[in-house]
Amino acid sequence: MKKIGILGGTFDPIHNAHIIFSEAAYDQLNLDEMLIMPSPNPPHKDKNKITDLNDRVTMIKLALEEHPKLIFSDFELKREGKVYTYETLKLFKEQHPDCELYFLVGEDSLYNIDNWYKPEEIFANCKIVTSVRDLKEYDSNNKNAAEYVKERESKSFEEEIANHKKRFNADIIVLKLGNIDISATKVRERAKAGEDICDLLPQKVADYIEKNKVYG
């Protein structure tokens, strides 16, 4: 059976944490393919606040030129309306019945995944792959990060995994991965302020952002 990894998301923009996480999954899980799958219209985000899809896709393709282990996928781009994860996984498996899916999510997403639309179908159609970071690595000035840190302090990562396994019979894999203090928000903020972003994402992506004034 073919083992296929999927990292979905807005990728606004793609950055080094996405790449490190994906390549770690490819190597540690002996995947046959590792797909980078942008979402055109994530249901949990305001489409008016997301960078143009063409820019996001171009940046992904530029990034992957230097990372042959990772493959660009337009699977979600072919769909219309709001794109839900459970539908993506279900449709993908229907079209690739001989594959085993490994869906990558950040640890903060794992804490909120039971609030996603039809989480039981997400867990039923894939193995969830995540990693864990030291809480000290989170930016305390970021509201979302601060809320997540507070939540994780009240309920451990191990407890959260155990809850998902009990409630959804989830198969969750935790990768060995070092702390990576990079986020798309940080990239956008530094780019908007005219600061150097070359340490946060591939050089070709940094050049594209600067040349096209993607973030102002």
Side-chain angles (χ1 to χ4, degrees):
M1 185 171 284
K2 198 171 186 179
K3 298 168 67 175
I4 298 179
I6 295 175
L7 177 64
T10 312
F11 298 106
D12 192 12
I14 188 170
H15 51 70
N16 288 340
H18 295 134
I19 292 167
I20 292 169
F21 188 20
S22 300
E23 290 189 331
Y26 182 90
D27 292 335
Q28 293 182 32
L29 303 176
N30 297 312
L31 301 180
D32 295 295
E33 292 181 4
M34 180 62 233
L35 307 181
I36 305 300
M37 188 181 292
S39 175
N41 186 20
H44 61 292
K45 293 191 176 181
D46 183 347
K47 64 180 180 180
N48 296 316
K49 295 181 180 180
I50 300 174
T51 301
D52 181 78
L53 179 60
N54 289 329
D55 282 323
R56 291 188 284 124
V57 167
T58 299
M59 289 188 285
I60 293 171
K61 290 180 176 179
L62 286 171
L64 300 193
E65 286 179 7
E66 303 172 17
H67 298 275
K69 294 177 181 178
L70 311 180
I71 301 171
F72 173 80
S73 171
D74 63 357
F75 189 82
E76 288 197 336
L77 303 185
K78 298 175 181 177
R79 294 165 56 199
E80 297 180 356
K82 290 186 176 180
V83 178
Y84 291 97
T85 298
Y86 92 92
E87 289 180 317
T88 295
L89 297 172
K90 185 177 179 180
L91 289 170
F92 196 95
K93 287 205 74 172
E94 287 175 356
Q95 295 180 27
H96 303 82
D98 60 337
C99 78
E100 185 173 48
L101 293 184
Y102 294 74
F103 187 68
L104 279 61
V105 300
E107 60 174 288
D108 53 339
S109 293
L110 185 66
Y111 266 74
N112 294 316
I113 201 169
D114 54 349
N115 294 320
W116 292 16
Y117 193 48
K118 297 190 177 181
E120 66 281 357
E121 294 202 33
I122 296 176
F123 288 115
N125 283 294
C126 70
K127 296 178 185 291
I128 294 291
V129 181
T130 190
S131 65
V132 61
R133 288 169 58 187
D134 190 318
L135 291 181
K136 291 182 291 185
E137 293 293 320
Y138 284 90
D139 180 3
S140 59
N141 294 318
N142 182 294
K143 181 181 178 181
N144 291 334
E147 289 177 354
Y148 171 65
V149 168
K150 184 177 180 180
E151 184 177 10
R152 221 181 91 186
E153 286 175 339
S154 65
K155 183 167 54 177
S156 73
F157 195 58
E158 292 75 17
E159 286 179 302
E160 188 69 9
I161 290 176
N163 288 340
H164 289 323
K165 288 183 176 180
K166 181 179 180 180
R167 184 177 175 188
F168 300 108
N169 194 30
D171 191 341
I172 300 174
I173 301 168
V174 182
L175 295 184
K176 296 177 180 178
L177 204 63
N179 290 320
I180 311 167
D181 187 20
I182 303 174
S183 69
T185 300
K186 177 182 285 190
V187 175
R188 294 194 300 269
E189 288 176 348
R190 280 173 51 172
K192 188 174 182 179
E195 299 175 4
D196 183 27
I197 55 174
C198 292
D199 59 323
L200 303 178
L201 67 185
Q203 185 64 51
K204 289 183 179 180
V205 181
D207 291 342
Y208 181 87
I209 290 172
E210 181 178 1
K211 180 181 178 181
N212 296 280
K213 307 299 182 193
V214 177
Y215 298 112

